[in-house]
Amino acid sequence: MTLPAVEHETAAHPTHSIIWLHGLGADGHDFAPIVPELVDPAWPALRFVFPHAPVRPVTINNGMSMRAWYDITGFDLTSRQDEAGISASVAATEALIAREHERGVPSERIILAGFSQGGAIALSAGVRHAQKLAGIVALSTYLPLSATVASERHAANAATPIFWGHGTADPVVVLQRGSDSRNALQALGYTVDWHTYPMAHAVCAEEIGDLRHWLGQRLA
């Protein structure tokens, strides 16, 4: 069963799709308002898919239930990672990609994007996906289960471009965690378009502008 999602089509009969995963405790509505400021009218017809993560207890938030792509046990983000939860969300992302195929959009016209926890899943799913994607967008995030990426990644996306935006004052996913993840990906040969912004755990107008430019190159 595919996850419920908020969808927005920029024109009839979309030829490209952007699957965008929200952060911890948010939902699919979180980034939907970004569409008008992000989209260039010259681009081909796009379908934005903003799925809702399942509701689950989150250890770091005193076991409170909220929408989360996986459980987080500690602030350092790498202690006792929730492998089962991450794998389940990667599988859910694969199902969303498969649904786009059924609607006539092939993998090479699909971009995976995500913020924070959602970005961690976009990266995890993207490098493991067995068909070439158009690109991966990683915002204020990190690469989880990095030790298994080298053995589990798929050659189909070895050259897939990655846009990475991160706040220099991010207290949630600290800049060092982001740059360590970027370095790990670059060491495996990935092309990471890295941008930092003077912000906390957020998205800013300058970042949206840079992302618009980057997406335009992927959608040309």
Side-chain angles (χ1 to χ4, degrees):
M1 185 188 107
T2 49
L3 292 170
V6 176
E7 296 194 355
H8 179 91
E9 297 182 1
T10 61
H13 314 299
T15 56
H16 296 67
S17 300
I18 297 179
I19 299 170
W20 194 307
L21 311 180
H22 63 75
L24 177 67
D27 65 17
H29 294 283
D30 198 32
F31 279 94
I34 220 169
V35 172
E37 51 181 318
L38 184 63
V39 172
D40 185 320
W43 291 353
L46 279 174
R47 179 186 296 113
F48 282 86
V49 178
F50 299 101
H52 302 300
V55 173
R56 70 180 80 217
V58 176
T59 303
I60 202 172
N61 290 345
N62 299 318
M64 274 176 51
S65 289
M66 61 190 66
R67 292 198 181 276
W69 298 106
Y70 51 92
D71 189 24
I72 294 178
T73 55
F75 274 111
D76 68 350
L77 302 176
T78 52
S79 63
R80 300 203 320 278
Q81 294 185 73
D82 177 16
E83 293 188 39
I86 292 168
S87 296
S89 285
V90 166
T93 304
E94 290 283 352
L96 290 166
I97 293 171
R99 187 174 63 177
E100 292 312 295
H101 293 174
E102 289 164 15
R103 296 197 280 191
V105 181
S107 275
E108 65 266 21
R109 291 184 181 174
I110 295 173
I111 289 169
L112 284 186
F115 175 79
S116 193
Q117 237 201 7
I121 295 300
L123 285 167
S124 297
V127 299
R128 290 171 174 82
H129 190 59
Q131 294 170 287
K132 180 162 177 54
L133 295 161
I136 301 168
V137 176
L139 306 178
S140 304
T141 192
Y142 68 102
L143 179 67
L145 306 181
S146 54
T148 61
V149 168
S151 60
E152 295 178 0
R153 68 192 182 129
H154 199 285
N157 284 295
T160 298
I162 300 169
F163 178 97
W164 198 307
H166 215 109
T168 53
D170 191 330
V172 179
V173 182
V174 294
L175 184 62
Q176 185 69 47
R177 173 60 34 76
S179 57
D180 286 349
S181 293
R182 173 204 64 194
N183 293 345
L185 287 166
Q186 287 177 334
L188 291 170
Y190 292 95
T191 301
V192 182
D193 193 358
W194 171 263
H195 302 260
T196 59
Y197 306 93
M199 62 180 182
H201 195 59
V203 173
C204 66
E206 186 189 352
E207 183 177 33
I208 298 304
D210 289 340
L211 181 55
R212 184 193 298 119
H213 176 75
W214 184 89
L215 286 170
Q217 295 173 315
R218 312 281 87 78
L219 298 169

